[in-house]
Amino acid sequence: MKRALLIALTSLVALAGCHSFKKENVQPPTPLDKSFKPTVQVTRLWRSSVGAGAGESGIRLRPAYADGVLYAASTDGKLAAFDAQSGKTLWTKSDRTHGWFGWGDKKRADVFYAGGPMVSGDLLVVGTLDGHVYGLGAKDGSPRWQAKVSSEVVASPVIVGNLVVARTTDGRLYGLDSSTGERRWAYDQSAVPLLSLRGNGPLLAANGVVFFGSDNGKLVAVRMDNGEKLWEQTLASGEGRTEIDRLNDADGGILLDGSTLYGAAYHGNLIAVDGPSGRPLWTRPFSTFTSLDTLGNALYGVNESSQVWAFDKNGGADIWKNDSLKYRWLTGPAIQGNYLVVGDMEGYVHWLQSGDGALAAREKLSKKPIRAQPLVVGDTVYVEDEKGRIGAYRLSAH
């Protein structure tokens, strides 16, 4: 029986997505400072698009990079590959269905791309809202295999050697043969809450282990060879007087730095964990539904009110906090050089200085929300909005 996964994020993300702030319990976004003067120069290298993007699905679609090529997918059945430097389209693949609501053609019904893409070598993998995982050729998008899973795949799979690991919204992980798509193992989380935020955090694979944040506020480690759970740690306890208060999803990605894992949850904590043993090193209150990033001795995150924070990654102490983008429903931060990059609900991209959090630059990609954490590759950052528009940006000092 499929879980009733509610798209609502409560009073935060759902209302932010439609840009309505008439209700008393929803704060309007902080206005941008019109007198702001950038301290670093931003150059937009190119802009392109893939299909209709995530549309109104609430999925945080993010491009993937491999060997000079950027890959992107959309929920209306489009895949595309771009030259990462110039933005030139290398190939496109359209698998959009026909008929009412996409159910008219049974042979091509499972093409609502939502999880991924992910690329390794010549293999491109992407999951769908219809409960499939597809393996395709990275050079041209040619089909190789498909695997049926139990529910939506809205998080990017991981590819390690001859194994693909995919996560579904009903709390399961699947280990699939990367050559054939054949199922090798399945892990069942079992305790999936009825009320949940829309989405799943991406999987992290390292040292033969898959790490992820669960819908019930746990940081979980699973063996990659057989799907056996090694350990779990609590990120959020799910306490509160109402179902909304008890939401405790860990929807951001798990961050690995050396042998230490960092994770956080909505209505929960930021926690540092020893990766091999699962032993907690430190914890502190911090509520977020986005991913973290790190640079030097600092750990960076965006809380549920879109305040940007920097913490000492060795103990969790505050370093700085920036309130100037509060309630703009920011993405998780990504590190580009000595700056943090975040996208917001009105299509703006912001750069903050990593040392003190001061705003350094601002560009407008579009008028649509940016939900996915920006992707940094070398000196370039790639940003995608919910309509599939992708922008590539580079920094240069004044």
Side-chain angles (χ1 to χ4, degrees), residues 52 58 77 110 114 125 230 243 376 394:
D110 305 0
V125 176
L230 295 173
E243 291 293 333
V376 175
R394 184 173 294 160

Side-chain angles (χ1 to χ4, degrees), residues 146-359:
Q146 62 174 290
K148 176 66 176 173
V149 291
S150 57
S151 186
E152 297 175 314
V153 180
V154 299
S156 181
V158 293
I159 309 171
V160 180
N162 58 1
L163 191 70
V164 173
V165 183
R167 179 183 183 183
T168 55
T169 58
D170 59 358
R172 293 179 171 89
L173 264 63
Y174 292 89
L176 309 171
D177 187 287
S178 63
S179 298
T180 64
E182 181 181 356
R183 185 183 303 179
R184 291 188 179 181
W185 53 260
Y187 164 80
D188 190 349
Q189 180 181 328
S190 69
V192 177
L194 218 23
L195 185 62
S196 172
L197 307 185
R198 175 62 161 166
N200 288 145
L203 302 171
L204 169 68
N207 303 317
V209 180
V210 176
F211 304 95
F212 66 97
S214 72
D215 292 318
N216 59 351
K218 308 290 185 182
L219 195 167
V220 184
V222 173
R223 285 182 52 166
M224 197 176 299
D225 58 349
N226 60 12
E228 177 186 347
K229 184 168 74 174
L230 295 173
W231 53 259
E232 68 176 38
Q233 282 293 337
T234 299
L235 296 171
S237 59
E239 297 177 353
R241 296 195 304 178
T242 69
E243 291 293 333
I244 298 297
D245 292 336
R246 290 191 288 272
L247 280 170
N248 62 348
D249 291 42
D251 271 358
I254 303 303
L255 184 65
L256 178 65
D257 186 55
S259 62
T260 303
L261 295 163
Y262 299 94
Y266 185 59
H267 289 164
N269 298 299
L270 173 62
I271 186 172
V273 175
D274 177 68
S277 67
R279 176 177 58 88
L281 303 175
W282 57 260
T283 184
R284 60 158 295 153
F286 187 68
S287 176
T288 185
F289 43 81
T290 64
S291 297
L292 309 167
D293 210 342
T294 185
L295 176 66
N297 290 321
L299 186 66
Y300 301 95
V302 173
N303 71 7
E304 62 180 85
S305 299
S306 285
Q307 296 164 303
V308 186
W309 287 76
F311 306 103
D312 182 341
K313 72 178 184 183
N314 295 315
D318 300 354
I319 298 177
W320 54 256
K321 179 179 69 171
N322 185 306
D323 295 318
S324 62
L325 302 174
K326 194 173 182 180
Y327 303 125
R328 297 193 67 84
W329 314 120
L330 304 177
T331 67
I335 301 298
Q336 184 182 18
N338 291 317
Y339 298 88
L340 281 69
V341 190
V342 293
D344 76 13
M345 56 170 290
E346 293 181 335
Y348 285 96
V349 186
H350 306 271
W351 284 260
L352 294 80
Q353 295 180 22
S354 61
D356 59 8
L359 288 173

Side-chain angles (χ1 to χ4, degrees), residues 50-54 61 72-80 111-114 384 388:
V50 55
L61 279 174
S74 67
T75 54
D76 63 340
K78 301 290 180 63
L79 285 171
V111 291
F112 305 107
Y113 299 124
E384 180 176 353

